[in-house]
């Protein structure tokens, strides 16, 4: 905790989580370096050595802790969509859920954070579209399938489920996230199925071209 | 605008909207009677004549301006779900969208507002479940249909669509809300259809025994 200590990724990670937690609870109006330091158990001087402003700290925390929604190529549409649903449920039912909601409201007004948040949102959109494109290429999804509706209902359905789960059932949802993601995807695949969902058209990855 | 003037529902409504707008932008941390008065174009004294605290003002604003998601019995499952989707899109794409999101984060921490918001949320859940129950009674929906998934994806899909619509396309979405609601409901009904969605099992209301 002495200011001169070399950087430790574990400490950076703890500080980033503390920053997101505080931002989630108090918003930008209640965000202060001193409070983050206290929450992370480090000295304020140590925080200022790493970040010279609270904008920079929050921007790094967002980048470090909130880039988890990524494109995962499992080889099937059902598998890929399930991974996406798991990541959305993790985001909105997990410890960063309040920060994620706050960002959707406040990111635009915070200098330096808006662009990081926009980049993360864009990467989520690109990952989702890549999943759909692979599904069309494999013939699991019709070329004219209602892609926007599928993705809105998948990501929105996961988000709404997490948001409307009562606090006393949240631990149980967090244990059950994969099973819920599978039910959600199974339900939505019935809406887009041109053939029975989960058909055997899937190929394994990595054996191209 | 003199303090002694009789209450005028138009003024109350304007104040309520100003209160929600300010809350949406600045959150509870930035919510103040004086700023609401200025935004609504009324005197601060006039505001205090009506509400003796900012908690009471926001609670009334929430009740006045955010109770719109209600049970509408159109006589068909498709029609009822479309009304629900229109109301969700109105809520999250309309002028109160930021306030609605703020409330999901902050309502629990605001004395007197938490219970109003919880009551509104509960009424939305009850309305949605009534729609589903009528659909089952009319045979439009199987008795063991995945109701939670249908409602999560309908309300979450509407919310996500509104939240991810870029600012420059928001006016166009607001003109197109009913058409989008119809597409969303048509998509989801394919996931639950036990028979072609929009079948003729619908009865007209009000002719009962």
């Amino acid at each position: 905790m002495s200011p001169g200590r070399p950087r430790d990724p574990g400490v950076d990670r703890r500080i980033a989580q503390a920053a997101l937690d505080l931002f989630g609870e108090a918003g930008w109006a209640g965000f202060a370096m001193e409070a983050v330091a206290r929450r992370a158990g480090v000295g304020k001087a140590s925080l200022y050595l790493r970040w010279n402003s609270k904008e920079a700290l929050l921007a790094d925390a967002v980048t470090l802790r909130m880039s988890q929604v990524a494109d995962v190529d499992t080889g099937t549409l059902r598998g890929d969509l399930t991974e996406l649903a798991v990541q959305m449920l993790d985001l909105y039912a997990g410890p960063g859920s309040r920060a994620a909601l706050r960002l959707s409201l406040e990111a635009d007004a915070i200098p330096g954070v808006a662009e990081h948040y926009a980049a993360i949102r864009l990467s989520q959109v690109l990952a989702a579209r890549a999943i759909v494109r692979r599904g069309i290429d494999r013939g699991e999804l019709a070329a004219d399938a209602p892609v926007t509706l599928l993705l809105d209902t998948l990501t929105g359905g996961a988000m709404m489920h997490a948001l409307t789960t009562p606090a006393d059932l949240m631990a149980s949802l967090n244990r059950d996230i994969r099973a819920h993601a599978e039910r959600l995807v199974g339900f939505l695949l019935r809406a887009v199925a041109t053939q029975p969902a989960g058909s055997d058209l899937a190929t394994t990855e990595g054996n191209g071209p």
Side-chain angles (χ1 to χ4, degrees), chain A:
Chain A
M1 257 169 252
S2 75
R5 199 173 75 165
R7 290 181 72 119
D8 167 353
V11 172
D12 280 6
R13 208 173 167 77
R14 202 164 77 233
I15 293 170
Q17 186 61 50
L20 278 194
D21 288 349
L22 177 63
F23 177 66
E25 282 172 28
W28 186 241
F31 193 78
M33 295 291 260
E34 185 143 11
V36 174
R38 202 164 43 238
R39 214 174 249 259
V42 301
K44 195 177 167 186
S46 168
L47 220 63
Y48 273 108
L49 266 186
R50 289 168 159 95
W51 295 279
N52 61 15
S53 71
K54 59 183 200 162
E55 285 84 357
L57 168 57
L58 184 58
D60 268 12
V62 167
T63 305
L64 258 175
R65 306 291 291 156
M66 291 194 56
S67 54
Q68 294 93 336
V69 173
D71 183 16
V72 178
D73 185 351
T74 67
T76 67
L77 178 64
R78 182 184 292 265
D80 288 1
L81 291 175
T82 302
E83 290 304 317
L84 182 61
V86 164
Q87 293 181 64
M88 290 296 294
L89 286 164
D90 274 341
L91 183 59
Y92 288 107
S97 64
R98 292 174 72 87
L101 283 173
R102 286 272 180 200
L103 278 170
S104 67
L105 277 168
E106 301 187 7
D108 283 351
I110 309 173
V113 171
E115 62 219 48
H116 287 258
Y117 183 62
I120 288 173
R121 287 287 287 264
L122 179 63
S123 75
Q124 294 168 2
V125 170
L126 295 179
R129 297 206 169 262
I131 289 172
V132 163
R133 198 181 53 243
R134 289 195 299 269
I136 292 174
D137 289 347
R138 284 187 299 248
E140 297 171 291
L141 207 51
D144 61 351
V147 169
T148 302
L149 285 171
L150 174 62
L151 295 176
D152 282 348
T153 51
L154 179 76
T155 57
M159 180 179 178
M160 186 59 77
H161 189 73
L163 294 183
T164 56
T165 294
D168 58 328
L169 296 180
M170 201 51 101
S172 144
L173 171 60
N174 271 292
R175 281 191 303 271
D176 194 39
I177 274 182
R178 182 156 294 271
H180 184 76
E182 287 169 356
R183 286 192 294 272
L184 173 63
V185 170
F187 174 78
L188 292 174
L189 282 180
R190 287 202 291 276
V192 291
T194 52
Q195 48 206 320
S199 68
D200 294 328
L201 290 172
T203 57
T204 54
E205 63 180 306
N207 297 328

